[in-house]
Amino acid sequence: ISGAYKGIYLPVLLMGAYWLLPRADSYFMRAMYHPSVLKQYVFAAPAGELPDWHAARPRYRNMVSIYDDFLAFVDEGLSDGETYYDFANAPLLYALAGVELPTYIFQTGYQISESLQSHTLNSLAQLHREERLPYVLFAQGIEGWDELDGAHNVLRSYRIAEFIYRHYQPCLRASQLDIWLDRRWLGPGVDEGNCVEAVTARRDFSQGLVERLQTLGASSPQQYVAYGFLPLVWAAEDEVVEEVRRTVSLRVVSEAESTVLTAQQGQSACGEYPCYLDLRVNSDAPEKVIVSFDGRQQFSFMVDAGSIDYRIRLSVLWDWYRQQEIPDIVLKAGGTVSIENAELVVLQ
C-alpha cells in the first residue's frame, strides 16, 4: 500500500467490518427460518411461530423403522397411568412412545452422583410400589450405546442398576431392545426363561407383534464391564455408607497363568445386597487384570505399580447378582501381578 493510502486503510477496514458483520448474522438467522430448513428440521422455528402449513403437524415423528416393534409393544403393553424406565440411553423413545416421564432427570448418562441416583430411585420406587412401572428398557445391544463415553451404564449408575436387578427380570427383546419385566408378574406357573407368557397373559398384544418378540433367557445380558482405575479410587477415597452385613475371606490360589479366589463351599453370595470385592494387589507396573467367573470373562480393572488396595463393586454385575453361592473368581494379567489379600464385603 502506497504512502498516500496508508492513512485511510485502517478506517476503511473497520467500517467494512462494522457494516458486514451484523448483516452476516442477519443472513444466518434468515437462513435458519427458510421454509426448506423448517420443513427438514421441525424444531428450528420458535414456539408459537410455526407456519400455518406446519402448525397442525407433530413436532417429531418416528422416521426409523427399527423401533417400530418397541413402540408397538409400549403402545399395546401399557395401561393408563403406566410408563417404563429407560436405562439404555434412548430417551427420545419416551417422546415417540408418548408416555409419561418416570423421573425428573431422564437421561441415563447424567445419573452419576449419589444425590442424583437417590432422587431418581425415589421416583422409581414410588412408581414400582404403585405398580405403574411394569417394564425397564435395560439395554440397546448396539455396540457403544450401553457404554457411552466408555463407562458402562451399570457402573455409572450402579445403585439404579442394583434396584433393577432386585425388582425386574430379563424378559424379551423388541426392535433389538432388551426389556425387563416386573418380577411380580412372574407367577408360580411361569418359566423365568420365557416370561413373554406372563406379559401376554396380562396385556392384549397383536398376534403379529407377539410372533416377532424374542425371549431373553435368565443369563441375559452378557455383560463385560471395564472398571479402569475406579477400584483404586473407591478403595482410597470413598467411604462405605452402608453397614457391613458380613465379610467373607477368600483363599488365594496361584496357578501357572492365573490366580483363583475361592470361598468355603456352600458360602452364599451377596443375594439382593450390595457387595464389594476388596483386594490388595502387588504389581511391578501398571497392568490390566481380566476377571472371570461362571465360565466367562466378566470385567477388567487396572492396577498400578506397588502394593495397593482395590475395591470392586461386584453387585453391579447381573451374573454375580444371580449367584446363589460364591463362585471361583479367576484373575489374569499380562505382567507380574500377585494377590496378597481378598475379601468379599456384603453390605446392608
Side-chain angles (χ1 to χ4, degrees), residues 6 31 74 86 96 117 196 202 235 254 290 330 338:
K6 282 184 177 179
V74 171
D86 165 46
L96 296 178
Q117 289 190 75
V196 173
R202 288 183 174 234
S254 297
I290 298 175
V330 182
S338 61

Side-chain angles (χ1 to χ4, degrees), residues 329-341:
I329 304 171
V330 182
L331 299 89
K332 292 186 178 182
T336 304
V337 175
S338 61
I339 310 299
E340 299 179 341
N341 190 57

Side-chain angles (χ1 to χ4, degrees), residues 290-299 328-332:
I290 298 175
V291 183
S292 304
F293 60 83
D294 214 19
R296 71 176 189 86
Q297 293 181 0
Q298 301 280 354
F299 66 92
D328 287 350
I329 304 171
V330 182
L331 299 89
K332 292 186 178 182

Side-chain angles (χ1 to χ4, degrees), residues 1 7 12 18 30 36 80 120 145 192 199 208-209 220 223 244 249 251 281 295 329:
I1 301 175
V12 169
Y18 180 80
R30 219 178 302 167
S36 62
D80 291 343
T120 295
W145 279 104
E192 287 190 348
V199 179
L209 176 61
S220 296
Q223 298 167 329
V244 175
S249 295
R251 188 162 62 98
V281 182
I329 304 171

Side-chain angles (χ1 to χ4, degrees), residues 274-339:
C275 61
Y276 287 100
L277 175 63
D278 281 357
L279 300 173
R280 174 160 290 177
V281 182
N282 195 324
S283 178
D284 293 340
E287 293 285 351
K288 180 166 78 170
V289 180
I290 298 175
V291 183
S292 304
F293 60 83
D294 214 19
R296 71 176 189 86
Q297 293 181 0
Q298 301 280 354
F299 66 92
S300 66
F301 69 101
M302 298 296 298
V303 298
D304 210 348
S307 179
I308 302 174
D309 290 333
Y310 299 85
R311 170 164 287 163
I312 303 165
R313 191 152 177 131
L314 288 180
S315 45
V316 306
L317 303 168
W318 172 243
D319 272 357
W320 184 268
Y321 180 87
R322 296 188 307 112
Q323 301 297 322
Q324 298 297 315
E325 297 181 0
I326 299 174
D328 287 350
I329 304 171
V330 182
L331 299 89
K332 292 186 178 182
T336 304
V337 175
S338 61
I339 310 299

Side-chain angles (χ1 to χ4, degrees), residues 51-119:
D52 293 340
W53 59 268
H54 204 293
R57 299 187 182 189
R59 296 296 298 271
Y60 43 75
R61 60 184 180 274
N62 179 28
M63 301 292 289
V64 186
S65 60
I66 62 171
Y67 298 122
D68 286 349
D69 282 349
F70 174 78
L71 296 175
F73 175 84
V74 171
D75 181 55
E76 299 176 17
L78 291 178
S79 298
D80 291 343
E82 293 181 340
T83 187
Y84 71 91
Y85 178 63
D86 165 46
F87 192 66
N89 301 313
L92 184 58
L93 292 177
Y94 283 131
L96 296 178
V99 300
E100 175 188 349
L101 293 175
T103 58
Y104 179 73
I105 298 176
F106 54 87
Q107 290 145 308
T108 311
Y110 293 152
Q111 308 284 2
I112 302 174
S113 69
E114 293 286 337
S115 58
L116 285 179
Q117 289 190 75
S118 177
H119 186 277

Side-chain angles (χ1 to χ4, degrees), residues 34-226:
H34 190 276
S36 62
V37 176
L38 291 177
K39 185 175 181 180
Q40 184 175 5
Y41 301 102
V42 185
F43 293 102
E49 297 183 17
L50 290 175
D52 293 340
W53 59 268
H54 204 293
R57 299 187 182 189
R59 296 296 298 271
Y60 43 75
R61 60 184 180 274
N62 179 28
M63 301 292 289
V64 186
S65 60
I66 62 171
Y67 298 122
D68 286 349
D69 282 349
F70 174 78
L71 296 175
F73 175 84
V74 171
D75 181 55
E76 299 176 17
L78 291 178
S79 298
D80 291 343
E82 293 181 340
T83 187
Y84 71 91
Y85 178 63
D86 165 46
F87 192 66
N89 301 313
L92 184 58
L93 292 177
Y94 283 131
L96 296 178
V99 300
E100 175 188 349
L101 293 175
T103 58
Y104 179 73
I105 298 176
F106 54 87
Q107 290 145 308
T108 311
Y110 293 152
Q111 308 284 2
I112 302 174
S113 69
E114 293 286 337
S115 58
L116 285 179
Q117 289 190 75
S118 177
H119 186 277
T120 295
L121 285 172
N122 287 338
S123 299
L124 295 179
Q126 180 175 343
L127 289 170
H128 183 261
R129 285 193 301 269
E130 297 171 354
E131 299 190 21
R132 296 174 52 211
L133 195 72
Y135 316 121
V136 169
L137 172 52
F138 189 80
Q140 293 199 44
I142 302 173
E143 185 176 358
W145 279 104
D146 297 319
E147 306 92 15
L148 290 183
D149 302 324
H152 201 291
N153 288 341
V154 301
L155 187 58
R156 185 199 315 269
S157 307
Y158 61 93
R159 294 194 184 278
I160 297 174
E162 292 167 2
F163 172 87
I164 294 171
Y165 295 165
R166 285 194 297 274
H167 299 293
Y168 293 84
Q169 174 78 24
C171 184
L172 58 90
R173 180 170 293 154
S175 297
Q176 300 181 346
L177 304 175
D178 289 0
I179 301 171
W180 289 34
L181 177 70
D182 188 331
R183 290 179 180 273
R184 293 172 295 189
W185 283 31
L186 297 172
V190 178
D191 178 13
E192 287 190 348
N194 188 25
C195 76
V196 173
E197 298 175 10
V199 179
T200 55
R202 288 183 174 234
R203 297 291 189 264
D204 186 17
F205 291 96
S206 60
Q207 186 59 36
L209 176 61
V210 173
E211 292 173 355
R212 293 191 298 274
L213 298 177
Q214 302 174 44
T215 299
L216 293 177
S219 61
S220 296
Q222 297 287 301
Q223 298 167 329
Y224 181 84
V225 177

